Amino acid sequence: LRLNRRSEDLFEELRHHDVLLHHPYDSFDAVVNFVQLGARDPHVVSMKQTLYRTSSDSTMFQALTEAAQTKEVTVVVELMARFDEASNIRWARNLEDAGVQVFHGIVGLKTHCKLALLVRRDPDGVTRRYAHLGTGNYNSETARFYTDVSLLTCDPEITNSVHSVFNYLTAHSESDDYAPLLVAPLTLAETIIGMIHREAEHAAAGRPAHIIAKMNSLLEERVIEALYDASKAGVEIDLIVRGICSLRPGLPGLSEKIRVRSVIGRFLEHSRIFYFSNGGKEEIYCGSADWMPRNLFERCEVVFPMRDPQLRSRIKNEILAAYLADNTKARIEKSTGEYARLLSTDGKHFNAQDFFIRVAEGHDTADSIPPPATLPSAVTNSSTAARRPGRAKASAKTSVIGRKRDQAG
């Protein structure tokens, strides 16, 4: 993370503008440094953070234990993170021994949201909140090969809502409204479904209507039904779903406007990004939740808006556009449930992840992204196209609205 020459530190930078990080192309060190800076800065009076999975030798853990010696530190540790239960119990005990206030969230709900909040008395005499919100875990090891999105901000509305979420997790103090954040299991599902229906209304009125949603898996029936309704209303829908997708695209009279693709490359696609054209008043959200029952109703999740126009432009015109243009590592789902490999007809290959590497190195820009890749019409409903490895039989038998549960983290 490079600071503006006029900024003395990260806090001053964030007072001027939000910062978007696209991991692993943008180093996760910036997030670690945010927590370390909070621990060491004498002007920071309190720190709060959620921990779902973290690395075995976590510098964040060390920073939080050091901070507890001089300031109020609160950590919400999820003890039931699959495969990390023993590790997280050990972290929780060590944090408590260091003087950290440790909580375990709401009974019956996994704490899956990725939040860090610092309260600081700035040199101008004003006490401000600074926050990190992400789509991935606070784990420096997996951050090297998981693709995720981070937002660093001191936007008062967002940071106040983050503070309310921590009250919910630590004091069971439920609020009627967490706007501008969307919080599961309280407001997320209904708001997402409402925004999908809103796109259908825009389409019916002849206004721009387009949804682009990137996630790990799509299983929630009510969301799928809303997407089908939006497609029938004329909304263009592009879904980038790495894992299980119970929706069938391209079915006449039901999902003709829906396209589903999966990108499997060098890095594990883990970011969740949701774009709504909203009649020309575009909205983009990122967060920790997939469109699955467990994320929407069985976990505490947070989805946050990208309010800075430049950051929205980067996500739409650089990140999402690159995924839609990928004709090398992408497969597109056909109406049969099979996945077909995209073959370049002009010999020009575009790999989204390779493109992001070039952008990070300063060797490429969004101007070089080709149009969205599509299957030739002859292949769209053909049963002879390449099947997705390991998914062929399951995909062919999946119903229009399936009930399978994705076991990926």
Side-chain angles (χ1 to χ4, degrees):
L1 175 61
R2 297 182 179 87
L3 299 181
N4 188 295
R5 292 180 180 178
R6 295 173 296 176
S7 299
E8 294 184 0
D9 55 35
L10 177 59
F11 297 119
E12 185 174 355
E13 186 84 4
L14 295 178
R15 289 197 293 275
H16 294 301
H17 62 88
D18 293 349
V19 172
L20 170 67
L21 300 170
H22 187 203
H23 310 298
Y25 318 103
D26 296 327
S27 175
F28 191 73
D29 288 347
V31 179
V32 176
N33 292 341
F34 174 74
V35 176
Q36 289 179 321
L37 182 59
R40 297 168 183 168
D41 189 330
H43 299 292
V44 173
V45 296
S46 71
M47 303 175 62
K48 300 179 191 295
Q49 188 170 342
T50 61
L51 286 180
Y52 186 75
R53 301 186 195 277
T54 189
S55 51
S56 58
D57 184 21
S58 172
T59 53
M60 282 192 177
F61 170 81
Q62 297 169 8
L64 291 168
T65 56
E66 291 174 8
Q69 309 310 308
T70 58
K71 56 199 71 181
E72 180 184 332
V73 180
T74 302
V75 178
V76 182
V77 180
E78 176 50 62
L79 297 181
M80 298 300 291
R82 197 156 45 95
F83 307 125
D84 285 293
E85 295 91 342
S87 174
N88 284 10
I89 290 172
R90 185 174 64 254
W91 285 128
R93 289 173 177 169
N94 291 341
L95 287 167
E96 286 180 330
D97 290 343
V100 175
Q101 299 181 67
V102 176
F103 294 84
H104 303 298
I106 307 297
V107 175
L109 299 177
K110 277 190 177 182
T111 302
H112 193 247
C113 52
K114 327 299 182 182
L115 304 173
L117 183 68
L118 310 181
V119 178
R120 185 176 191 259
R121 294 193 184 100
D122 286 326
D124 59 3
V126 178
T127 299
R128 294 183 178 88
R129 295 186 177 108
Y130 297 83
H132 167 265
L133 305 93
T135 67
N137 299 307
Y138 290 109
N139 187 321
S140 299
E141 294 177 2
T142 58
R144 294 197 297 267
F145 54 90
Y146 280 35
T147 73
D148 277 301
V149 171
S150 284
L151 176 69
L152 293 169
T153 182
C154 73
D155 181 311
E157 292 187 355
I158 291 179
T159 57
N160 288 347
S161 293
V162 171
H163 176 72
S164 296
V165 173
F166 275 107
N167 284 344
Y168 172 58
L169 292 173
T170 61
H172 298 188
S173 176
E174 187 174 323
S175 171
D176 293 331
D177 187 9
Y178 292 91
L181 303 182
L182 311 181
V183 179
L186 305 174
T187 64
L188 178 57
E190 293 302 324
T191 305
I192 288 293
I193 292 171
M195 288 192 288
I196 295 172
H197 288 320
R198 183 183 63 185
E199 292 299 311
E201 293 172 359
H202 286 309
R207 295 186 291 268
H210 189 190
I211 296 171
I212 308 174
K214 181 180 183 294
M215 66 199 80
N216 292 343
S217 294
L218 172 57
L219 291 169
E220 172 51 37
E221 294 186 8
R222 291 178 59 204
V223 172
I224 293 172
E225 289 168 354
L227 291 169
Y228 285 147
D229 290 341
S231 172
K232 290 186 286 186
V235 180
E236 296 291 340
I237 302 173
D238 287 286
L239 303 176
I240 307 164
V241 184
R242 187 197 79 220
I244 298 173
C245 179
S246 293
L247 177 148
R248 287 290 182 84
L251 294 174
L254 181 67
S255 56
E256 292 170 291
K257 295 285 187 177
I258 303 178
R259 297 163 291 276
V260 178
R261 69 194 69 214
S262 173
V263 177
I264 308 293
R266 170 181 174 182
F267 304 114
L268 180 74
E269 291 298 335
H270 193 254
S271 56
R272 290 88 162 184
I273 304 172
F274 311 106
Y275 164 87
F276 300 89
S277 66
N278 189 27
K281 299 178 181 179
E282 298 176 333
E283 293 182 354
I284 294 179
Y285 290 82
C286 301
S288 58
D290 295 309
W291 288 351
M292 300 172 62
R294 72 180 188 188
N295 296 100
L296 298 176
F297 306 112
E298 300 168 13
R299 294 180 173 185
C300 180
E301 307 273 13
V302 170
V303 172
F304 51 93
M306 287 291 170
R307 308 181 93 179
D308 185 304
Q310 290 185 328
L311 303 190
R312 287 202 303 270
S313 176
R314 181 186 175 193
I315 289 179
K316 177 189 175 185
N317 299 316
E318 179 182 295
I319 298 175
L320 292 177
Y323 284 121
L324 295 179
D326 193 310
N327 61 10
T328 304
K329 295 297 183 179
R331 275 86 167 154
I332 290 188
E333 184 181 3
K334 302 184 295 177
S335 60
T336 59
E338 297 172 313
Y339 283 76
R341 183 189 295 270
L342 286 163
L343 300 176
S344 174
T345 56
D346 57 5
K348 295 180 180 179
H349 299 281
F350 184 83
N351 181 322
Q353 294 187 354
D354 287 349
F355 165 76
F356 295 138
I357 293 174
R358 294 194 301 272
V359 169
E361 294 173 340
H363 299 152
D364 213 337
T365 68
D367 294 335
S368 68
I369 299 176
T374 58
L375 285 174
S377 57
V379 177
T380 302
N381 295 311
S382 170
S383 61
T384 60
R387 292 186 174 186
R388 184 177 178 180
R391 296 288 190 192
K393 293 182 180 179
S395 296
K397 295 180 180 179
T398 303
S399 62
V400 170
I401 298 179
R403 296 180 181 273
K404 294 184 291 181
R405 294 293 187 266
D406 181 16
Q407 296 303 314

